Amino acid sequence: MNSASHPTSGGNFPARIPSYLQSDNLGPWGIYLQQVDRVAPYLGHLASWIETLKHPKRALIVDVPIHLDNGTIAHFEGYRVQHNTSRGPGKGGVRFHQDVTLSEVMALAAWMSIKNAAVNVPYGGAKGGIRVDPKLLSKGELERMTRRYTSEIGIIIGPTKDIPAPDVNTNEQIMAWMMDTYSMNEGSTATGVVTGKPIDLGGSLGRREATGRGVFTVGVEAAKHIGLDIDTCRVAIQGFGNVGGIAAKLFAQAGSRVVAVQDHAGAIYNGGGLDVPSLLNHVMVHGTVVGFPKAEPIEREAFWDVECDILIPAALDQQLTQANANRIRARMVIEGANGPTTPEADDIFQERNILVVPDVIANAGGVTVSYFEWVQDFSSFFWSEDEINSRLVRIMQDAFSAIWQVAKEHQVTLRTATFIVACKRILHARELRGLYP
Ligand code: GLU
């Protein structure tokens, strides 16, 4: 059966345009659909199931009303999307950001399906978010919003159903509130309902650093393939939070020079290499890289012109676009963020022979250690940090090398290769399970 005869467009049912695509700007979900289309020719007979990947399994929009400290009530819009659960429960983070949209959460959930399958952890893909600028909330307001959101999505999450985790602007404390709220409603402590928790609540050693460590690990592997020496290369990083900051630390420890960093407030440059440990301290105190004394301030936009070997976008989506892709002076882009490169920019990088290590493998270290955390919670037996880091590195190296082989075999980009590996795993599971009823 080919996709044209698939039931969504078969019989008396014309092909339907889902409501979330009925706009001029397709947004992140439209980008994801383009990425799926690029992979279809490589899926063999499994391509007949590809429509599965083009529709989220389930998407929940929730109203999150809370009492503000000033006595008024505010309503926020929240989402939880389960893109696919063929290979296991939904899994993916929750982000709090003023620009979150349903389209974005749908794309992020789909990228989680791909990512989880790429590293072969037994999960489907899911994602959640609230459209809010959390910096404008007091700690009490943030807690009330988190708890009400958790309660509202409580009907679809659970340790064997869908397991949230931290993402943009969410952290261990927010996971603790989510775990507590879910547990209160269930009547028993359910540590396995979220990952990225504090260590004292069933969290895992190494989880906080895992995404940055994964970025570094695949960066080292990719560098070997293109003849780049990690101990002499120059790195530029957008975003200096949990992903960019840790990746910077590991690259600097390996001898690389971190020459430029851009964040929400500005950008800094030091051609000799930034002192990463003191920059991390500066960011802890000031909340931004701006004002770091041992660097030259540069315009935020000028960051894209910095000469480097490795560029790591580790902030938000759609940062590398048609508008700036021709300016990039790097040999390799490692996507710490989810969805930072648009398909047009991908094509420009391919033409310019700039290697892109895509998000769906580059930042999979976080969810890999989330999987370890979930396994530890279920068995109530906790592993050492060395064990966690060495298992993480092994999984990332093996996954990267399998993807590299597929890229060589089909002469495709690493993004398409990762999608080939992941989509085959998901659709094979889909086919084995069959259609219910
Ligand atoms: N938010 C992270 C990601 O985008 C981690 C998800 C998780 O650990 O479930 O991969």
Side-chain angles (χ1 to χ4, degrees), residues 91-94 112 115 127 163-168 195 207 211 338 363-364 366-368 370:
K91 181 87 191 83
V94 170
M112 286 309 303
K115 191 186 301 187
K127 200 85 173 198
I163 305 112
D167 198 76
V168 174
T195 58
R207 173 63 186 85
T211 312
N338 290 307
N363 71 31
V367 75
T368 302
S370 276

Side-chain angles (χ1 to χ4, degrees), residues 236-384:
I237 306 184
Q238 184 198 33
F240 212 66
N242 187 39
V243 182
I246 301 294
K249 189 172 91 179
L250 296 173
F251 274 102
Q253 276 169 5
S256 311
R257 262 179 298 149
V258 178
V259 291
V261 177
Q262 186 213 59
D263 69 11
H264 61 279
I268 57 170
Y269 177 80
N270 183 336
L274 293 156
D275 175 351
V276 174
S278 56
L279 181 58
L280 285 164
N281 281 335
H282 177 89
V283 171
M284 206 133 70
V285 177
H286 302 279
T288 168
V289 298
V290 172
F292 183 58
K294 296 186 262 175
E296 184 191 317
I298 56 171
E299 291 294 320
R300 267 192 102 240
E301 261 302 298
F303 171 80
W304 304 116
D305 302 314
V306 165
E307 203 174 309
C308 60
D309 300 293
I310 301 180
L311 172 65
I312 306 179
L316 293 170
D317 53 62
Q318 297 177 76
Q319 298 300 300
L320 293 163
T321 65
Q322 218 161 4
N324 60 5
N326 274 311
R327 286 162 55 188
I328 302 305
R329 290 152 84 193
R331 290 184 58 196
M332 163 158 92
V333 174
I334 312 175
E335 296 185 335
N338 290 307
T341 312
T342 63
E344 296 80 23
D346 253 345
D347 291 343
I348 295 171
F349 290 142
Q350 197 180 0
E351 262 162 47
R352 295 186 57 212
N353 204 19
I354 296 175
L355 181 69
V356 177
V357 185
D359 49 4
V360 279
I361 181 65
N363 71 31
V367 75
T368 302
V369 176
S370 276
Y371 166 57
F372 299 161
E373 178 174 333
W374 183 72
V375 168
Q376 292 171 83
D377 288 339
F378 266 106
S379 56
S380 298
F381 177 77
F382 290 86
W383 314 348
S384 72

Side-chain angles (χ1 to χ4, degrees), residues 111-176:
W111 286 324
M112 286 309 303
S113 299
I114 304 295
K115 191 186 301 187
N116 292 333
V119 286
N120 214 359
V121 292
Y123 292 133
K127 200 85 173 198
I130 305 183
R131 197 171 165 81
V132 61
D133 180 354
K135 288 192 277 304
L136 303 179
L137 299 178
S138 69
K139 191 169 181 203
E141 290 166 342
L142 187 64
E143 176 173 354
R144 291 194 289 280
M145 184 187 72
T146 302
R147 288 184 180 279
R148 180 61 189 253
Y149 168 71
T150 307
S151 199
E152 293 297 335
I153 65 165
I155 51 174
I156 61 168
I157 63 168
T160 59
K161 289 162 110 183
D162 178 3
I163 305 112
D167 198 76
V168 174
N169 291 335
T170 55
N171 56 22
E172 294 176 7
Q173 177 60 73
I174 285 168
M175 294 306 115

